[in-house]
Amino acid sequence: MTTSLRSLLFIALTTLSLASTGLLNTASAATAADLDQDSRHALQILYKANPVAETMSRTAKAVLVFPKVIKAGLVFGGSYGEGVMFSGSKVDSYYNTVTGSWGLQAGAQSYAYAVFLMTDKAVKYVRETKGWEVGVGPTVVLVDQGLAKNLSSSTLKDDAYAFVFDQQGLMAGVSIEGTKISLIKR
């Protein structure tokens, strides 16, 4: 079985698993207007909790915001959410985020995340790929509280910086490594 076929099968099983729990419907039922509003609100939550993110937004070429990602798993798991890419304050396009995982896991949670695309190269890559897998392509740095304290305009050297925030639920840890981000029509 090829790697792409295995990946497709895994994503299909993960989606079925999420759909059976009803969580997928709550993550994907948003209209474009709802996504716009929810994404703007999520950014305000992030900026209040982490002011360095707001500072980064002023120099970012674009910001991908996923205001509600639902993650569930029992050995096999997955996550799904929809979001917006902002260029400045304007909506550029809409994306979904899908992650599949396996291993010791049980539970469900929701969270939000934002990816600040700092270079034109990173924005072009996201726009032109049929599905951007985080960890392949532009370099993404996951910003935690410790790193956030040391970031400044002179230390921002990578293509993209990601913030995970507003976590709720009963599942340990969130990683965006291996997440696939794809353009959707709205």
Side-chain angles (χ1 to χ4, degrees):
M1 186 179 291
T2 67
T3 303
S4 61
L5 184 58
R6 232 179 286 139
S7 297
L8 184 61
L9 181 60
F10 185 72
I11 288 172
L13 288 172
T14 300
T15 304
L16 264 174
S17 173
L18 284 172
S20 70
T21 65
L23 292 174
L24 188 59
N25 292 334
T26 63
S28 64
T31 65
D34 291 336
L35 271 176
D36 296 353
Q37 181 179 3
D38 292 348
S39 295
R40 290 179 198 283
H41 183 256
L43 280 176
Q44 293 307 312
I45 291 169
L46 173 61
Y47 295 160
K48 186 175 181 179
N50 207 325
V52 74
E54 185 171 18
T55 302
M56 289 174 70
S57 73
R58 294 184 193 117
T59 56
K61 303 295 182 182
V63 180
L64 270 167
V65 182
F66 295 95
K68 186 171 186 177
V69 180
I70 303 295
K71 179 179 181 182
L74 181 60
V75 181
F76 292 97
S79 64
Y80 182 84
E82 294 180 348
V84 176
M85 184 192 306
F86 291 106
S87 292
S89 62
K90 293 184 178 183
V91 172
D92 180 283
S93 44
Y94 298 92
Y95 289 83
N96 68 18
T97 178
V98 177
T99 306
S101 59
W102 62 90
L104 186 57
Q105 58 184 322
Q109 70 176 348
S110 68
Y111 59 94
Y113 78 92
V115 180
F116 293 80
L117 302 168
M118 305 306 289
T119 64
D120 290 325
K121 177 181 112 182
V123 174
K124 182 179 178 187
Y125 187 89
V126 171
R127 285 184 179 146
E128 291 182 356
T129 58
K130 301 246 186 264
W132 173 36
E133 187 174 331
V134 176
V136 178
T139 304
V140 179
V141 175
L142 186 59
V143 180
D144 60 16
Q145 292 296 337
L147 180 60
K149 291 178 184 176
N150 297 317
L151 285 176
S152 69
S153 58
S154 61
T155 61
L156 294 174
K157 306 282 186 222
D158 289 293
D159 295 323
Y161 293 86
F163 292 81
V164 177
F165 59 100
D166 202 25
Q167 290 176 263
Q168 300 171 11
L170 299 172
M171 202 167 201
V174 174
S175 171
I176 63 168
E177 186 74 26
T179 295
K180 188 167 185 176
I181 297 172
S182 303
L183 182 69
I184 58 174
K185 305 277 189 227
R186 279 281 174 198

